Amino acid sequence: QVQLVESGGGVVQPGRSLRLSCAASGFTFSDFVMHWVRQAPGKGLAWVAVISYDGSHKYYVDSVKGRFTISRDNSKNTLYLQMNSLTTEDTAVYYCVKGPPEQRLVRWGYYGMDVWGQGTTVTVSS
Amino acid sequence: EIVLTQSPGTLSLSPGERATLSCRASQSVPSSYLAWYQQKPGQTPRLLIYGASSRATGIPDRFSGSGSGTDFTLTISRLEPEDFAVYYCQQYGASPPLFTFGPGTKIDIK
């Protein structure tokens, strides 16, 4: 079945870096748009970043631009999130989320975000 | 940037009752770009509705979505015990690509 498994979370000091990974299985990973979405403790969902099926297009929420980088390795069916210059505001559960099999940017919003990983917890604390 | 507002913040209802959740956008949103999610305590979110009114795979028909422009609604016709959860709407803006979630509506047991 379709599965997304995140890893790489942990406790890190402010200003440090962390790289999250998401192993995908059960679908043709290279066909799909992929997202990272986070949820701070006791708060709602917040979209972080999206990447096109081939990794050529990447977009971020303003609060992480210049600090976070989303990437993918389609040969390994793996999505990544490199997080630099972390702050306490980045403390959250980070979800890897599957988007639609759409190459055209205008269609990225179709069909919603249909498969979510279990999440990996990132805690930024001194 | 489009801001989504959900109301009410909390809805207290009994099993069997009808739930009506509102999602209002600060600017018009194409219906194709509006989705709803359910999140139960301690669980990951689940896609309920996409394209404002299409049910995702495996979603019971007691869940329905409607609306257009700036006003969208999620309706649960008869609440089951497992439906008590937080519900989020989400929209997509294509230029530049940006995804936004609403703050959520919690349905709790009255």
Side-chain angles (χ1 to χ4, degrees):
Chain A
Q1 75 280 21
V2 177
Q3 195 170 11
L4 299 170
V5 179
E6 303 94 336
S7 60
V11 180
V12 62
Q13 293 179 327
R16 303 299 291 266
S17 299
L18 209 57
R19 188 175 85 152
L20 307 182
S21 299
C22 169
S25 60
F27 64 104
T28 305
F29 179 71
S30 58
D31 284 349
F32 288 81
V33 170
M34 295 294 297
H35 303 267
W36 287 99
V37 175
R38 68 184 178 183
Q39 187 169 32
K43 302 297 185 182
L45 301 172
W47 173 76
V48 174
V50 63
I51 188 168
S52 60
Y53 72 103
D54 62 353
S56 62
H57 298 280
K58 307 172 186 181
Y59 298 93
Y60 304 89
V61 68
D62 282 349
S63 59
V64 309
K65 280 180 185 175
R67 300 189 300 122
F68 289 13
T69 301
I70 188 172
S71 62
R72 64 192 298 161
D73 186 337
N74 286 344
S75 68
K76 296 181 178 179
N77 291 342
T78 302
L79 179 72
Y80 302 100
L81 186 67
Q82 177 67 43
M83 305 185 294
N84 299 331
S85 303
L86 285 160
T87 75
T88 56
E89 300 297 308
D90 298 316
T91 293
V93 175
Y94 285 75
Y95 295 104
C96 168
V97 188
K98 174 176 163 283
E102 294 290 347
Q103 297 185 13
R104 292 176 57 200
L105 187 151
V106 70
R107 294 179 64 89
W108 283 10
Y110 286 31
Y111 312 121
M113 302 178 187
D114 67 340
V115 179
W116 295 63
Q118 286 300 306
T120 188
T121 301
V122 173
T123 302
V124 184
S125 173
S126 55
Chain B
E1 178 184 335
I2 296 177
V3 176
L4 298 178
T5 303
Q6 292 187 243
S7 61
T10 302
L11 201 48
S12 296
L13 295 169
S14 301
E17 289 193 293
R18 181 184 187 91
T20 303
L21 287 66
S22 172
C23 176
R24 181 161 291 175
S26 58
Q27 303 172 41
S28 183
V29 173
S31 296
S32 301
Y33 292 167
L34 197 287
W36 290 91
Y37 301 83
Q38 176 195 63
Q39 187 176 31
K40 300 177 185 179
Q43 295 189 20
T44 62
R46 175 174 71 149
L47 175 66
L48 295 177
I49 301 287
Y50 63 91
S53 61
S54 297
R55 276 187 298 276
T57 302
I59 301 303
D61 61 6
R62 65 179 180 274
F63 291 92
S64 63
S66 63
S68 63
T70 60
D71 291 301
F72 298 89
T73 300
L74 175 70
T75 301
I76 310 172
S77 58
R78 287 178 56 86
L79 282 165
E80 298 288 341
E82 62 267 28
D83 299 336
F84 291 90
V86 180
Y87 293 82
Y88 298 94
C89 58
Q90 172 253 313
Q91 70 88 31
Y92 172 63
S95 183
L98 182 67
F99 296 80
T100 309
F101 288 92
T105 290
K106 181 180 180 181
I107 302 179
D108 63 18
I109 300 176
K110 187 174 181 180

